[in-house]
Amino acid sequence: MTASELNDLSRLCIHTITTKPWAIEVAIEKYAAAGVKGITIWRQWLEEKGPVEVGKMVRESGLEVVSLCRGGFFPATDKAGRQAAIDDNRLVIDEAAALGTDLVVLVCGAVPGQTLAESRKQIQDGIGTILDHARAAGIRLAIEPLHPMYADERSAINTMKQANDFCDLFQDPMIGVAVDVYHLWWDPDLKQEIQRCGKADRLFAFHICDWLTPTKDLLNDRGLMGDGCIDIREIRGWVENTGFNGFNEVEIFSDSWWQKDQDQFLESIKKAYLNDS
Ligand code: ZN
């Protein structure tokens, strides 16, 4: 693929959390005006207007809803907690259908004080329990492996291999993987596991941002593409070599960017997307 083929906005998607200070109607208007084509909506941005109304606003703007973020968090130390998670995941699936997307991203969860193996078993049980509901609603589920620094309370699934192995347990076309460079860039097996994921037709989403040095906050110090040490273009090449032709989703949680002018941030995202990812 040549640089000029890479360098256009036709597959640029932005997560609403990236421009956190913007309400949903502002984000939709600004993204569309900037030439962004896709939007991934975080659930908080549905709270005010609801998924039906937000879906309508997105379609009228010409944007496409790429996915709803996020479901998951299946593990809990008691049965009531696990049941509450299942109920909430059924609700996320219904919200996604009402919004007009066919993809929910799962941050699978973990609980400090119980083993990762137990959490993985609970994740497997949880996904197994909601699968019929997802299938009936036509909603695919993307397991997003998270960097191991989140293994204590956000996800017991931390590598592409684990995500692939997990999908193998189900062998179901509704269950796949969201590849996020922030979580996975360090993994020596990443290229081969991305290939494995593509071969199984389960690479559902691709998230981009950068890893800053030093990282000041474990959650909210993600960098703009090109500001950190991830070779995003190389990983994107591996992803696209599998046949993936979906959106490149900019997902940046950043206390420092959120404090700046969001219009300027959006311009910086476009520039970084074209030049550094
Ligand atoms: Zn992500």
Side-chain angles (χ1 to χ4, degrees):
M1 186 170 283
T2 67
S4 64
E5 280 173 301
L6 280 168
N7 286 342
D8 70 69
L9 301 178
S10 62
R11 292 169 55 198
L12 172 58
C13 164
I14 300 180
H15 284 227
T16 53
I17 191 122
T18 299
T19 53
K20 192 176 172 186
W22 280 346
I24 187 64
E25 61 272 20
V26 180
I28 290 169
E29 187 198 325
K30 301 275 190 182
Y31 295 179
V36 175
K37 302 298 179 194
I39 182 168
T40 276
I41 295 178
W42 281 57
R43 286 181 86 192
Q44 303 92 302
W45 277 263
L46 298 179
E47 280 167 14
E48 199 184 314
K49 298 183 188 299
V52 172
E53 176 66 19
V54 171
K56 188 165 164 272
M57 288 163 57
V58 172
R59 283 185 293 280
E60 282 171 3
S61 76
L63 290 169
E64 182 180 330
V65 186
V66 177
S67 65
L68 178 61
C69 271
R70 59 196 202 243
F73 289 96
F74 294 102
T77 50
D78 58 75
K79 205 173 167 205
R82 293 192 291 278
Q83 185 59 47
I86 284 164
D87 293 344
D88 189 54
N89 276 278
R90 289 200 173 108
L91 182 62
V92 181
I93 288 165
D94 294 342
E95 287 173 356
L99 184 60
T101 180
D102 71 343
L103 185 64
V104 164
V105 176
L106 298 179
V107 170
C108 289
V111 181
Q114 88 178 3
T115 65
L116 292 172
E118 176 58 27
S119 285
R120 285 180 202 121
K121 187 181 164 300
Q122 293 176 3
I123 294 164
Q124 187 184 345
D125 290 347
I127 292 176
T129 305
I130 64 166
L131 187 53
D132 278 347
H133 192 75
R135 199 180 285 120
I139 301 295
R140 298 175 300 147
L141 305 170
I143 294 168
E144 180 165 1
L146 259 53
H147 191 282
M149 68 180 170
Y150 302 118
D152 58 345
E153 58 181 3
R154 287 180 184 270
S155 185
I157 297 175
N158 307 103
T159 64
M160 273 300 283
K161 181 179 185 306
Q162 284 181 319
N164 274 319
D165 289 348
F166 213 83
C167 290
D168 280 347
L169 297 172
F170 291 97
Q171 302 274 1
D172 192 299
M174 303 305 281
I175 301 177
V177 183
V179 174
D180 186 323
V181 299
Y182 190 75
H183 297 299
L184 302 171
W185 67 279
W186 55 274
D187 183 351
D189 296 328
L190 185 56
K191 183 180 178 183
Q192 73 193 56
E193 288 296 331
I194 283 174
Q195 287 169 345
R196 177 183 164 198
C197 191
K199 244 181 226 152
D201 244 352
R202 59 165 78 120
L203 205 165
F204 287 176
F206 182 52
H207 299 174
I208 56 174
C209 69
D210 216 333
W211 184 283
L212 298 178
T213 306
T215 292
K216 294 175 194 148
D217 185 281
L218 292 188
L219 192 60
N220 294 324
D221 194 29
R222 293 185 178 204
L224 187 63
M225 298 81 73
D227 287 352
C229 59
I230 303 177
D231 191 337
I232 299 167
R233 197 160 280 185
E234 181 177 51
I235 298 173
R236 180 175 166 183
W238 298 340
V239 166
E240 290 179 351
N241 280 339
T242 70
F244 177 83
N245 60 3
F247 282 91
N248 301 298
E249 306 181 37
V250 176
E251 183 190 29
I252 302 172
F253 322 145
S254 167
D255 286 329
S256 97
W257 280 111
W258 290 332
Q259 282 167 23
K260 292 177 186 158
D261 179 274
Q262 298 297 288
D263 288 297
Q264 282 175 17
F265 183 29
L266 184 55
E267 279 309 304
S268 302
I269 288 169
K270 277 170 64 176
K271 197 159 163 254
Y273 178 72
L274 294 173
N275 295 326
D276 298 300
S277 59

